[in-house]
Amino acid sequence: MKQKLVLVGNGMAGVRTLEELLKVDPDKYDITVFGAEPYGNYNRIMLSPVLAGEKTVEDIMLNDEQWYIDNNITLHKGTQVMEIDRVNRRVIARDGTTSSYDRLLLATGSNPFMIPVPGKDKDGVIAFRDIQDVDTMLQAAGDYKKAVVIGGGLLGLEAANGLMKQGMDVIVVHLLDSLMERQLDKPASALLKASLEERGMTFLMEAVTEELIGNGRVQGVRFKDGTEIEADGGHGRRHCA
Ligand SMILES: Cc1cc2nc3c(=O)[nH]c(=O)nc-3n(C[C@H](O)[C@H](O)[C@H](O)COP(=O)(O)OP(=O)(O)OC[C@H]3O[C@@H](n4cnc5c(N)ncnc54)[C@H](O)[C@@H]3O)c2cc1C
């Protein structure tokens, strides 16, 4: 009888591991996958082109649902595992689905960091991590005009570029005095900033966000020095306004 392998996390790392296991011995395991997101396996790195309108969600699918069927894999999509019962060797999902295992692979990725300031839970404040976030941003771009992106790292700039391409006015707020400081030295960072400014992106450097303001929905960002800027379709990086 085949061993039961359960994968929790239907993301890039977990499914890539399954691909390798299937190559080595396609009949070794009876495989079940739990994924909290309601899709097949997609290339998360390509979410930025989806936001910018250059690709569709279908374009970035790595393994669609047919792949699971073809490989006799049971996929529980949109099903978040809440508990691992190690004594009885089974996982239990939020909707009550259970699955027993001989081998358990956890590949649950990471959660976006939300800037820990008052107002971070307001409507219109989101992270940039998954298809749902991109859908929310695209919808906001249709309904609102002014976006603030908190974080001038790679993801923040990609989000800002996408939102700009969707017709929003975008201000990028960055804590430090140079963009993408982990990857670029100061002259390179200045060149990048100048080139993005030429394309219409606006920057607020060395700005310490103190609060996301607004009645219900986010309407602006207040900084430590007391100044404020408006935001009506607030978005962000992994953390955002
Ligand atoms: C816009 C964007 C651009 C990026 N660009 C780059 C890049 O250029 N280069 C680079 O190296 N990296 C990039 N990254 C990071 C890269 O996408 C991640 O490092 C990679 O996706 C991690 O793969 P993973 O499988 O570990 O996690 P994930 O891809 O996050 O997958 C984990 C999955 O597990 C699911 N999950 C979590 N908990 C549970 C649970 N309890 N039950 C069921 N399912 C669960 C999650 O919903 C998720 O679908 C980018 C990320 C983003 C968001």
Side-chain angles (χ1 to χ4, degrees), residues 115 148-152 171 173 209 212 221 235-241:
I115 186 169
V148 175
V149 173
I150 299 182
I171 301 181
V173 171
T209 302
L212 308 181
V221 180
H235 299 98
R237 186 199 167 196
R238 288 159 161 231
H239 50 85
C240 43

Side-chain angles (χ1 to χ4, degrees), residues 8-14 34-37 44-45 47-48 79-81 107-110 128-129 155 158:
V8 181
N10 190 29
M12 297 175 71
F34 286 83
E37 294 182 70
R44 195 173 300 285
I45 293 168
L47 284 176
S48 300
T79 310
Q80 187 182 13
V81 168
T108 49
S110 57
F128 183 19
R129 178 74 193 171
L155 278 192
E158 286 191 356

Side-chain angles (χ1 to χ4, degrees), residues 36-53:
E37 294 182 70
Y39 315 98
N41 170 241
Y42 64 92
N43 186 345
R44 195 173 300 285
I45 293 168
M46 298 305 282
L47 284 176
S48 300
V50 176
L51 177 62

Side-chain angles (χ1 to χ4, degrees), residues 2-227:
K2 283 190 196 175
Q3 287 204 326
K4 287 183 190 156
L5 170 68
V6 169
L7 166 63
V8 181
N10 190 29
M12 297 175 71
V15 176
R16 185 77 188 87
T17 308
L18 293 186
E19 287 175 355
E20 287 303 310
L21 287 173
L22 289 168
K23 249 191 248 167
V24 175
D25 187 350
D27 295 319
K28 187 170 170 74
Y29 293 111
D30 182 358
I31 302 172
T32 300
V33 177
F34 286 83
E37 294 182 70
Y39 315 98
N41 170 241
Y42 64 92
N43 186 345
R44 195 173 300 285
I45 293 168
M46 298 305 282
L47 284 176
S48 300
V50 176
L51 177 62
E54 293 155 3
K55 289 203 180 293
T56 65
V57 167
E58 290 70 38
D59 292 336
I60 68 165
M61 281 294 155
L62 294 170
N63 294 294
D64 61 15
E65 292 180 35
Q66 190 60 43
W67 178 83
Y68 296 82
I69 295 166
D70 294 345
N71 288 286
N72 295 318
I73 296 170
T74 305
L75 172 63
H76 297 294
K77 58 177 183 164
T79 310
Q80 187 182 13
V81 168
M82 299 304 286
E83 192 184 333
I84 299 168
D85 175 357
R86 291 179 64 199
V87 175
N88 297 302
R89 297 174 84 82
R90 60 184 192 142
V91 296
I92 302 149
R94 185 187 286 278
D95 67 358
T97 308
T98 62
S99 189
S100 55
Y101 63 83
D102 299 300
R103 292 278 182 272
L104 179 63
L105 179 57
L106 300 178
T108 49
S110 57
N111 290 323
F113 170 73
M114 290 300 282
I115 186 169
V117 295
K120 70 180 173 53
D121 298 320
K122 286 187 188 302
D123 275 357
V125 180
I126 63 153
F128 183 19
R129 178 74 193 171
D130 57 28
I131 289 176
Q132 172 74 57
D133 297 329
V134 172
D135 283 346
T136 307
M137 284 193 259
L138 289 175
Q139 202 178 346
D143 296 343
Y144 300 96
K145 188 70 183 160
K146 291 179 190 160
V148 175
V149 173
I150 299 182
L154 186 64
L155 278 192
L157 296 178
E158 286 191 356
N161 177 58
L163 292 168
M164 224 169 56
K165 288 204 166 157
Q166 295 297 337
M168 297 193 88
D169 295 337
V170 183
I171 301 181
V172 176
V173 171
H174 197 49
L175 190 59
L176 302 174
D177 65 354
S178 56
L179 299 172
M180 286 183 64
E181 71 286 345
R182 288 191 200 172
Q183 292 89 356
L184 303 178
D185 60 15
K186 293 215 169 185
S189 169
L191 285 172
L192 173 68
K193 182 163 171 276
S195 132
L196 292 171
E197 279 169 340
E198 251 173 52
R199 289 202 238 162
M201 210 178 279
T202 310
F203 294 93
L204 203 56
M205 307 299 285
E206 296 180 86
V208 183
T209 302
E210 193 170 67
E211 186 174 355
L212 308 181
I213 51 180
N215 292 325
R217 190 176 176 88
V218 68
Q219 289 170 316
V221 180
R222 180 177 298 136
F223 300 101
K224 206 169 178 186
D225 64 5
T227 56

